[in-house]
Amino acid sequence: MFQQILDPIFGSLVLSAICAALPLLLLFVLLGVFRMKAYKAALASLLLSVVLSVVGWQMPVNQVLSATAAGAFYGLFPILWILVNALWIYKLTVATPWFEALGRTIRSISNDLRILAILIAFCFGALLESLAGFGAPVAISAAMLMAAGMKPLKAAMVSLLANTAPVAFGAMAAPIIALNGVTGLPIQELASMAGRQTPFVAVLVPLILVFIVDGRRGLKQTWPVAIVAGLVFGMAQFVTSNFFAVELTDVVAAVATVIAVLVMLRFWKPAEQIGSVDDIDAIVAAGADSQTRRDQGAPAVAARSTTTVTRPDPTIYKRPPAGHVWKAMAPYLIIMVIFSIAQIPAVKVWLGMVGSVTFPWPGLDLVDAVGDPVPATMFKLDHLKATGTLLFFSGLITMALYKVSIRDGIKIYWETLVQLRLTIVTVTAVLALSFVMNLSGQTASLGAFLASTGAFFAVISPLIGWIGVALTGSDTSSNALFGQLQVTAANSTGLSPVLMAATNSSAGVLGKMLSLQNLAVAAAAVGMEGAESTLFRKLVGWSLGLLALITILVVLQSTPVLGWMVP
């Protein structure tokens, strides 16, 4: 049996914490300074952590290798099993005319770019985040906004900033599931806590979006619909994550918000329309010279910027027949039905009996520094009731509904795997790094050191999550890296481990708009390759401002003032 040691480096907790932080520092430097590919940086950090485990923390080699395998397998199943099947369903819809029908439906609702920013970037982007994630919501939202006539730079900014509120529950709650896997905390408590934090961000995001699109005039004229969108989205997140199914949080929130906005627009309209088709007609009539295009926020030469100066196809503003709209929404409705059935008490119990197995991971025999068992040594395999499996069944039903042949379905699945090949390496490496750090005791050493800050750790905790997502580009990866660290520090300082773990996810989402991956996706989507630094400067203030607000919320939740919100 191996027992973790808190201060293995010359008996000093400070030196041990510094050494424990080296794999994370290496990851940050390789990503942020040298801009190395994420999968290469993750593999390099994993190798360093393995060496430190053997040499510094004196963990037996066979147990280090076993911990590496356990983390890599957890990255594959359930995390990547969710991501692959979610993206597969999305690609199935894109391969048919129904995805465009859904886009036309949204664009036909209003020509006002401020309203479209809420509907496309905030609502539809959240729907895409719930399935695809990994940049897809940003790329698609930005392209749709440009097609509607929004300036490229604004389209990119709006899409990036909107991709915050839904991220904590994105990809069918993969971040929360990863947090549960590395901390051992009950998934429902983590989901409930995150659902009592992210709504405060959701309420503000639509207001910021309309401000970016149209400044103070946008706020003055469209604040009612922005407030409604934010409140409905936030309340739906809270209710779904706390009382329904965490996997469906973003799906329910996005659909509920779209319905609320549509109902409101039947009885209320902004004082004037901003960004109608006439604006683009004027550009076309003016000849769309390079200077005009620069005025629109596009580079002088950019192949993809032509959508801002070419007369849009009139059909994109024509609402499809009701039958087409329902069929375009079918994959999302199928997912909601499948997951709702899985939550029926009798079905849930049956799935738990036949679709789940828990066993000790082979080759791991260890306890923590005080002799207690480490939860991560027990592996829970949900093969039938796993989120990814339910998504796979939903994809099969979608194939049947859309009459996609088995051959084409397999081809699209293979294309999905190819598209995610580097992501697969990155996620498995990051989860392996997380497991090695957690099981060897490196995370415990770092957490014990941070715990010396006492109650001030409640201020540090959101920043840790924010840095993790800003550098890795993934809330899932950040939770895998820092989830156990947050719990270790919380236990030592007397803070709620559920609160600190959930904070890592909820505050982390605010760093996603600044991650290199998302910035590159947004810049490419609007034909402004190389403009990542411009987008960074435009968004960093909003990111830090929202981080400050959620930090205040977390600090209050760590005290009796709002402590009643912690499950």
Side-chain angles (χ1 to χ4, degrees):
M1 179 178 290
F2 166 68
Q3 183 169 7
Q4 295 176 352
I5 309 170
L6 287 181
D7 53 356
I9 310 301
F10 301 114
S12 169
L13 181 60
V14 174
L15 290 177
S16 299
I18 292 173
C19 289
L22 288 179
L24 301 177
L25 292 174
L26 178 63
L27 180 65
F28 295 164
V29 170
L30 293 179
L31 285 173
V33 179
F34 294 98
R35 299 194 177 187
M36 182 180 287
K37 296 292 185 182
Y39 77 95
K40 293 182 180 179
L43 288 172
S45 300
L46 170 60
L47 180 60
L48 177 57
S49 182
V50 166
V51 172
L52 287 171
S53 297
V54 176
V55 178
W57 274 258
Q58 304 167 31
M59 188 178 191
V61 174
N62 65 309
Q63 295 213 45
V64 173
L65 295 178
S66 181
T68 304
F73 186 82
Y74 190 82
L76 291 171
F77 196 100
I79 303 302
L80 285 166
W81 181 233
I82 297 171
L83 300 181
V84 170
N85 287 316
L87 186 57
W88 175 53
I89 294 176
Y90 161 69
K91 290 176 74 69
L92 283 174
T93 65
V94 173
T96 69
W98 302 113
F99 181 79
E100 178 56 30
L102 182 60
R104 289 205 310 272
T105 301
I106 294 176
R107 294 192 295 266
S108 68
I109 296 169
S110 173
N111 286 342
D112 194 311
L113 292 180
R114 301 164 301 186
I115 305 298
L116 291 179
I118 295 174
L119 284 172
I120 295 176
F122 187 64
C123 300
F124 190 52
L127 201 58
L128 292 174
E129 179 66 33
S130 70
L131 286 182
F134 285 91
V138 172
I140 295 167
S141 298
M144 291 176 68
L145 289 172
M146 281 184 59
M150 187 175 290
K151 300 175 183 179
L153 185 61
K154 284 188 177 182
M157 291 175 59
V158 166
S159 300
L160 283 166
L161 203 145
N163 192 223
T164 50
V167 170
F169 298 99
M172 291 293 154
I176 302 297
I177 293 172
L179 200 56
N180 160 255
V182 299
T183 64
L185 296 174
I187 190 170
Q188 187 53 55
E189 290 187 13
L190 292 171
S192 297
M193 189 67 250
R196 301 173 192 187
Q197 294 174 324
T198 55
F200 291 91
V201 175
V203 169
L204 297 175
V205 168
L207 290 168
I208 298 174
L209 296 182
V210 297
F211 180 82
I212 290 175
V213 174
D214 195 35
R216 293 182 180 178
R217 180 178 62 177
L219 276 178
K220 182 179 179 180
Q221 295 184 353
T222 60
W223 67 265
V225 70
I227 289 289
V228 167
L231 286 175
V232 171
F233 193 95
M235 286 300 300
Q237 275 194 323
F238 167 73
V239 172
T240 309
S241 62
N242 277 263
F243 307 110
F244 188 30
V246 58
E247 297 90 350
L248 291 179
T249 299
D250 283 344
V251 177
V252 173
V255 173
T257 307
V258 168
I259 293 173
V261 172
L262 294 183
V263 171
M264 183 174 182
L265 290 176
R266 286 183 173 273
F267 305 98
W268 174 90
K269 298 288 182 183
E272 57 182 316
Q273 296 282 310
I274 302 300
S276 65
V277 181
D278 293 337
D279 296 331
I280 301 176
D281 288 342
I283 299 172
V284 175
D289 60 292
S290 60
Q291 180 60 46
T292 302
R293 285 193 281 121
R294 281 194 295 272
D295 290 343
Q296 289 293 306
V301 178
R304 304 186 96 177
S305 67
T306 54
T307 53
T308 65
V309 297
T310 303
R311 184 189 304 272
D313 181 350
T315 60
I316 70 172
Y317 293 101
K318 183 178 179 182
R319 183 172 302 178
H324 289 193
V325 174
W326 282 109
K327 204 160 186 179
M329 288 290 298
Y332 309 101
L333 298 176
I334 289 170
I335 290 171
M336 293 179 70
V337 171
I338 292 290
F339 277 86
S340 297
I341 292 174
Q343 294 301 314
I344 296 174
V347 177
K348 192 173 184 178
V349 171
W350 179 79
L351 287 174
M353 292 174 59
V354 303
S356 179
V357 58
T358 302
F359 58 92
W361 185 263
L364 289 179
D365 185 14
L366 56 95
V367 293
D368 63 19
V370 296
D372 295 330
V374 179
T377 59
M378 297 298 295
F379 201 93
K380 185 177 182 181
L381 182 64
D382 295 326
H383 48 87
L384 187 57
K385 73 171 187 176
T387 301
T389 304
L390 298 180
L391 282 173
F392 181 73
F393 291 151
S394 301
L396 294 178
I397 297 174
T398 300
M399 281 179 57
L401 179 67
Y402 283 171
K403 297 181 179 179
V404 177
S405 67
I406 295 178
R407 180 179 179 180
D408 288 341
I410 294 175
K411 179 183 177 182
I412 294 172
Y413 203 99
W414 174 252
E415 291 173 353
T416 303
L417 290 173
V418 172
Q419 180 180 337
L420 289 177
R421 63 190 184 280
L422 297 182
T423 298
I424 291 172
V425 177
T426 302
V427 172
T428 52
V430 167
L431 265 297
L433 169 64
S434 171
F435 270 59
V436 170
M437 290 188 65
N438 290 344
L439 294 174
S440 67
Q442 294 172 52
T443 299
S445 297
L446 193 55
F449 173 73
L450 290 174
S452 63
T453 60
F456 187 72
F457 183 74
V459 178
I460 300 175
S461 175
L463 181 61
I464 292 174
W466 182 87
I467 292 173
V469 178
L471 290 172
T472 66
S474 166
D475 202 36
T476 300
S477 297
S478 178
N479 285 348
L481 282 175
F482 296 133
Q484 185 57 40
L485 184 151
Q486 299 269 18
V487 170
T488 301
N491 286 329
S492 300
T493 56
L495 296 169
S496 166
V498 171
L499 171 61
M500 295 297 98
T503 294
N504 195 80
S505 190
S506 301
V509 304
L510 302 175
K512 189 157 188 177
M513 69 180 83
L514 302 180
S515 70
L516 290 175
Q517 296 94 316
N518 256 23
L519 290 172
V521 167
V526 298
M528 297 181 67
E529 290 85 350
E532 290 86 353
S533 59
T534 301
L535 289 170
F536 181 90
R537 292 194 300 272
K538 295 280 188 180
L539 292 170
V540 66
W542 294 112
S543 179
L544 293 175
L546 289 171
L547 176 64
L549 288 176
I550 202 165
T551 298
I552 294 172
L553 172 66
V554 170
V555 170
L556 292 176
Q557 288 176 333
S558 69
T559 68
V561 177
L562 293 181
W564 52 269
M565 297 181 69
V566 180

